[in-house]
Amino acid sequence: MKEHIRQGWRLAVKHLYIVIFLFLYQLLWGFGLYRYVESAFLPLLKRYPDTLPSEQAVQLFLMEAQFQLLKTDMIKPYLWTLGIIVLLRMLISPLIQSGLLYSLRHATDEGGTRFIQGIRICWKKIALLYWLKSLLILAPAWWLLPAAFQLLLSSPTLAEAARTALPYGAGWLFWSFLLHLIFLSLQFGVVSEAGMLGNTLRSIRAFLPLTLMTVLMWVIAAVVGLAVSAVTLVWAGLLALMLHQAFYLVRMLIRVWTLASQYGVWQSRKS
């Protein structure tokens, strides 16, 4: 594991310009999405009862919200816009994933990184796997989201609704985690140009080590995040603000480091 982590770090540093590009992409995407959500929900939240509202006031607010959502056309423009945003995300993300994975695969070759070449060669297969994974991850939402909405309306308090929904949410997260690892292994096979049988066998052998590596890298990311948070709390001021903003770039570097380490684990499994 240590060797894969060290090799993953070397690959991540070699792809530093891609890390910066992904950081800017996520920054612009997050800012745009935040502004849209703010413009959509802020008018609704202004109608929420004042501080320390009574139970009757909260129930009245939820009943009004239910009426506005189900009996009027108010939500349709937001749904169309949200659908377009999701579609753009699902078109752009596989392109970035295919270029990054292909570049990690050929990083030891002469000529440096091959991000653009990877997009041209692998984007179709990577996109197909990405869309299939997204569909399987979102499939439980067809049953869970309506049930969660009804639970929110019928529960006397938000805390009780959260406690009831917690096991289902945890199961959904676990399902998403398993699918993420399975399809990540398949994507590794695509950029490695492995056959279907060899890719399947290698993915099976690499599943447990890949899971361990994923959890280990998440622990590293959490420790770094906690350390940065502690520093910003102790050294409040301009330095803390600059460190907090720079951490988003560090977090993107850790993501690429994690992906490179995961690929090293997968590649070490013989098909």
Side-chain angles (χ1 to χ4, degrees), residues 197-257:
L197 179 59
N199 187 12
T200 303
L201 293 176
R202 180 176 289 185
S203 298
I204 293 174
R205 292 191 178 98
F207 183 78
L208 290 180
L210 188 62
T211 302
L212 180 60
M213 175 61 73
T214 302
V215 174
L216 180 59
M217 294 304 299
W218 284 359
V219 170
I220 294 175
V223 170
V224 174
L226 290 174
V228 172
S229 299
V231 171
T232 55
L233 289 175
V234 174
W235 293 344
L238 180 60
L239 178 61
L241 179 61
M242 295 174 60
L243 182 62
H244 178 74
Q245 296 300 322
F247 177 66
Y248 292 101
L249 178 60
V250 175
R251 186 167 61 182
M252 187 56 64
L253 177 62
I254 293 176
R255 287 186 181 180
V256 176
W257 182 17

Side-chain angles (χ1 to χ4, degrees), residues 56-71 153:
Q56 292 79 6
V58 175
Q59 290 294 333
L60 181 61
F61 171 79
L62 294 176
M63 290 174 61
E64 181 184 2
Q66 182 183 19
F67 177 82
Q68 293 287 343
L69 292 176
L70 301 180
K71 302 298 182 180
L153 296 177

Side-chain angles (χ1 to χ4, degrees), residues 97-268:
Q97 184 81 346
S98 60
L100 182 57
L101 290 178
Y102 188 87
S103 185
L104 291 174
R105 164 65 178 83
H106 296 277
T108 57
D109 297 345
E110 296 182 0
T113 58
R114 300 189 177 186
F115 184 77
I116 303 299
Q117 183 179 355
I119 294 177
R120 291 198 303 264
I121 295 176
C122 300
W123 77 269
K124 292 181 180 179
K125 294 180 180 180
I126 296 294
L128 181 61
L129 291 173
Y130 178 86
W131 295 336
L132 181 58
K133 182 191 74 172
S134 301
L135 180 63
L136 292 175
I137 289 177
L138 294 176
W142 182 264
W143 298 275
L144 293 179
L145 292 185
F149 185 71
Q150 292 298 326
L151 178 64
L152 180 63
L153 296 177
S154 60
S155 297
T157 62
L158 293 177
E160 182 176 344
R163 284 194 298 268
T164 305
L166 182 60
Y168 300 98
W172 195 1
L173 287 177
F174 183 71
W175 167 250
S176 302
F177 175 71
L178 289 180
L179 289 176
H180 169 72
L181 292 181
I182 292 172
F183 280 88
L184 183 62
S185 296
L186 296 177
Q187 290 173 352
F188 287 154
V190 169
V191 298
S192 299
E193 300 178 352
M196 179 62 69
L197 179 59
N199 187 12
T200 303
L201 293 176
R202 180 176 289 185
S203 298
I204 293 174
R205 292 191 178 98
F207 183 78
L208 290 180
L210 188 62
T211 302
L212 180 60
M213 175 61 73
T214 302
V215 174
L216 180 59
M217 294 304 299
W218 284 359
V219 170
I220 294 175
V223 170
V224 174
L226 290 174
V228 172
S229 299
V231 171
T232 55
L233 289 175
V234 174
W235 293 344
L238 180 60
L239 178 61
L241 179 61
M242 295 174 60
L243 182 62
H244 178 74
Q245 296 300 322
F247 177 66
Y248 292 101
L249 178 60
V250 175
R251 186 167 61 182
M252 187 56 64
L253 177 62
I254 293 176
R255 287 186 181 180
V256 176
W257 182 17
T258 300
L259 193 61
S261 302
Q262 289 170 327
Y263 178 74
V265 171
W266 181 89
Q267 192 180 36
S268 66

